[in-house]
Amino acid sequence: MVQNVRVIGTGQLLELSARLRRAGHENIRQSFQRRIRRAAEPLRNDLQDTIRRLDIRSQGRGTGKRGGPTLTTRPMRATIAEAIRISVRTTGDPGARVWVDKGRLPPDLRRMPDVINTGRIRHPVFGNRRRWAQQSANPGWWDKTVRGHTDRITREVERVADDVRRHLE
C-alpha cells in the first residue's frame, strides 16, 4: 500500500517550532521550511521518475484475440507522477510529508498507485467487466524508493534543525 512518507523528528521539530514562534523570527521560519522542503524534494522527484519509467508488462494476447488502441489519451504513469506532492508544516505537527494526492487523480486511477506497488495489476479490458487482463510490474516502486532516501532525509532534517537551534541561541 502506498503510504504517506512523513519526515519528522517529533520532539526536536516541535520544540524548535515553538521556539521559532516565540522568537518571532519569520525569516528564520521561512528558511527552516524551505530547507525541509529541499530535503524532501529529491524523494518526490525520484518517486516521480520511478513511476514514469516503471516497466509494466502484459501477458500478451492469445492467438485470435483482438486488440486496439486505448480508449483514453491520458498517460497513466505520468498522471500518477504529477499527483505526487510535498507539504511542509512548521506548526502543530511539524515536518514534511510526501504523498500521492488522490484528489488530483481521475476516479478510475485513485487506487492505481497502491495496485502498482503490489506488482500485480488486474483490470477490465477496455472497461468490459466480463473480460479481465492481468499485467505485472516490479513490486514496491513506492516502498523501495522511500527506503533509499530515508537515511539521507533524516540526516538533512537533523542538520537543518541543529542550524536553526544554533541561530536561536
Side-chain angles (χ1 to χ4, degrees), residues 1-63:
M1 173 183 223
V2 175
Q3 297 178 351
N4 295 338
V5 179
R6 303 194 72 216
V7 179
I8 57 173
T10 48
Q12 232 184 23
L13 292 177
L14 282 171
E15 175 259 330
L16 199 55
S17 176
R19 286 179 60 189
L20 277 170
R21 257 192 327 278
R22 282 194 304 270
H25 293 290
E26 189 61 32
N27 58 343
I28 295 173
R29 193 166 77 214
Q30 288 173 347
S31 172
F32 176 63
Q33 189 172 10
R34 185 174 48 252
R35 289 177 68 189
I36 297 289
R37 175 177 291 280
R38 281 193 193 137
E41 281 175 351
L43 171 59
R44 183 206 51 207
N45 296 341
D46 199 12
L47 284 166
Q48 288 174 331
D49 290 343
T50 301
I51 190 65
R52 281 187 181 114
R53 289 184 278 115
L54 189 66
D55 183 32
I56 298 178
R57 297 167 302 284
S58 172
Q59 295 171 333
R61 266 182 264 165
T63 308

Side-chain angles (χ1 to χ4, degrees), residues 77-100:
R77 289 172 280 201
T79 303
I80 293 170
E82 293 304 315
I84 298 174
R85 297 275 180 249
I86 298 175
S87 68
V88 178
R89 292 180 60 175
T90 57
T91 59
D93 188 13
R97 183 177 138 205
V98 179
W99 83 105
V100 176

